[in-house]
Amino acid sequence: MTDLLDGLLADLKAEGDQLWNTVSGVDEEGWRTPTPAPGWTVATQVAHLLWTDEVAVFAATDKEAWDAVVLGAIGDPDGFVDAQALEVARLAPSALLARWGAAREALTTALREFPGGQRMPWFGPPMSPASMATARFMETWAHSLDVYEALGIEPPVTDRIRNVAHLGVRTRDFAYSVHRLDPPAEEFRVELTAPSGDTWTWGPEDAAQRVSGPAYDFCRLVTQRINREDADLVAVGEGAEKWLSIAQAFAGPSGEGRARSGE
């Protein structure tokens, strides 16, 4: 488990550093640039990552603080998280970066020191340290895409996105539950081509329901950074196609997703 967690935390740090290095060179006007998420600027995206990292630390180390967050979310289930991001985004860019840096370091420490064999609470199912690190990677990567798109930057696509692909596959049944649908009983076969050209697979080779295509498109789809119609993914079977239409690797409501390119 230590080797697994170490690898996940290294990937999380690398992805966070890439975003950090990008936004640290942006002027104040750039921080106010709108991103694809309606009403969210570059500052809001970073603020969301900052706040969520802090809350993850609460979940791992401070039950009282975590319970307070949960009560706030219960009081405003549809708007609470967005409200926190918008509030934190009012900080000056230098203050945002300083606070995010502290939260990132605190999260790494909290996950390394979390008692083995236990799970921490979260907005979805309780998580192990490895699962939390994977979820934090997914969020960091997805929100970074919004920032890069807003700033007109083409980020490098690395095999670190396997973390997102894995989470996307493992959250198949969760996506059905969000839409109040019964998940399929059978496993699906997922075959994705990594940025490096490697092939990543999940599920039995002889599964009737299948999904294949570029891992980058699959990862963008399960984080709702691309419309299904724009994703170069092949689904075999009605169940597989239905999954791709509702897939999400993140906790909470499904949201409206992304419009088709050109619309």
Side-chain angles (χ1 to χ4, degrees), residues 14-64:
E15 207 65 37
D17 286 350
Q18 183 173 291
L19 177 59
W20 178 287
N21 292 334
T22 297
V23 297
S24 63
V26 174
D27 59 22
E28 290 205 21
E29 183 177 353
W31 279 83
R32 293 192 294 271
T33 304
T35 67
W40 280 33
T41 64
V42 168
T44 319
Q45 298 284 353
V46 175
H48 173 73
L49 293 176
L50 179 170
W51 179 81
T52 316
D53 283 348
E54 289 180 339
V55 171
V57 174
F58 294 159
T61 66
D62 191 334
K63 183 179 185 302
E64 183 176 349

Side-chain angles (χ1 to χ4, degrees), residues 177-217:
S177 70
V178 170
H179 291 269
R180 299 182 180 181
L181 298 172
D182 293 328
E186 72 272 26
E187 291 187 66
F188 292 175
R189 176 71 169 182
V190 179
E191 299 181 353
L192 302 176
T193 303
S196 65
D198 290 346
T199 299
W200 298 334
T201 62
W202 293 263
E205 292 186 15
D206 61 350
Q209 304 280 341
R210 310 176 72 88
V211 170
S212 62
Y216 183 53
D217 280 15

Side-chain angles (χ1 to χ4, degrees), residues 172-173 176 181-188 209 238-240 242-243 246:
R172 186 199 71 170
D173 290 0
Y176 276 86
L181 298 172
D182 293 328
E186 72 272 26
E187 291 187 66
F188 292 175
Q209 304 280 341
E238 291 184 7
K242 179 61 178 179
W243 174 40
I246 62 173

Side-chain angles (χ1 to χ4, degrees), residues 7-249:
L8 289 167
L9 290 174
D11 285 351
L12 176 59
K13 183 180 186 304
E15 207 65 37
D17 286 350
Q18 183 173 291
L19 177 59
W20 178 287
N21 292 334
T22 297
V23 297
S24 63
V26 174
D27 59 22
E28 290 205 21
E29 183 177 353
W31 279 83
R32 293 192 294 271
T33 304
T35 67
W40 280 33
T41 64
V42 168
T44 319
Q45 298 284 353
V46 175
H48 173 73
L49 293 176
L50 179 170
W51 179 81
T52 316
D53 283 348
E54 289 180 339
V55 171
V57 174
F58 294 159
T61 66
D62 191 334
K63 183 179 185 302
E64 183 176 349
W66 166 252
D67 287 347
V69 171
V70 171
L71 287 175
I74 292 173
D76 183 15
D78 294 328
F80 179 73
V81 173
D82 283 6
Q84 306 313 303
L86 292 168
E87 178 64 28
V88 176
R90 295 179 180 179
L91 294 171
S94 59
L96 268 176
L97 285 175
R99 187 167 155 186
W100 186 34
R104 292 175 65 198
E105 291 184 9
L107 179 59
T108 296
T109 299
L111 295 182
R112 288 192 188 282
E113 295 180 353
F114 195 76
Q118 296 187 27
R119 292 179 178 270
M120 64 194 73
W122 197 237
F123 298 105
M127 293 189 176
S128 67
S131 294
M132 179 61 78
T134 304
R136 296 311 308 134
F137 179 92
M138 177 272 296
E139 281 247 324
T140 301
W141 180 79
H143 288 282
S144 294
L145 289 185
D146 293 343
V147 171
Y148 300 140
E149 184 173 340
L151 298 177
I153 295 171
E154 287 288 341
V157 182
T158 74
D159 278 10
R160 291 194 298 267
I161 66 171
R162 193 182 195 286
N163 299 309
V164 182
H166 180 75
L167 190 60
V169 172
R170 297 306 180 201
T171 54
R172 186 199 71 170
D173 290 0
F174 169 74
Y176 276 86
S177 70
V178 170
H179 291 269
R180 299 182 180 181
L181 298 172
D182 293 328
E186 72 272 26
E187 291 187 66
F188 292 175
R189 176 71 169 182
V190 179
E191 299 181 353
L192 302 176
T193 303
S196 65
D198 290 346
T199 299
W200 298 334
T201 62
W202 293 263
E205 292 186 15
D206 61 350
Q209 304 280 341
R210 310 176 72 88
V211 170
S212 62
Y216 183 53
D217 280 15
F218 180 78
C219 292
R220 288 189 293 163
L221 185 68
V222 299
T223 55
Q224 296 192 0
R225 263 59 188 181
I226 190 175
N227 187 276
R228 168 67 183 107
E229 296 299 321
D230 295 321
D232 188 18
L233 297 169
V234 176
V236 176
E238 291 184 7
E241 183 57 52
K242 179 61 178 179
W243 174 40
L244 294 186
S245 74
I246 62 173
Q248 69 175 72

Side-chain angles (χ1 to χ4, degrees), residues 247-263:
Q248 69 175 72
F250 51 89
S254 60
E256 297 181 2
R258 291 290 167 86
R260 187 174 181 179
S261 178
E263 292 183 356

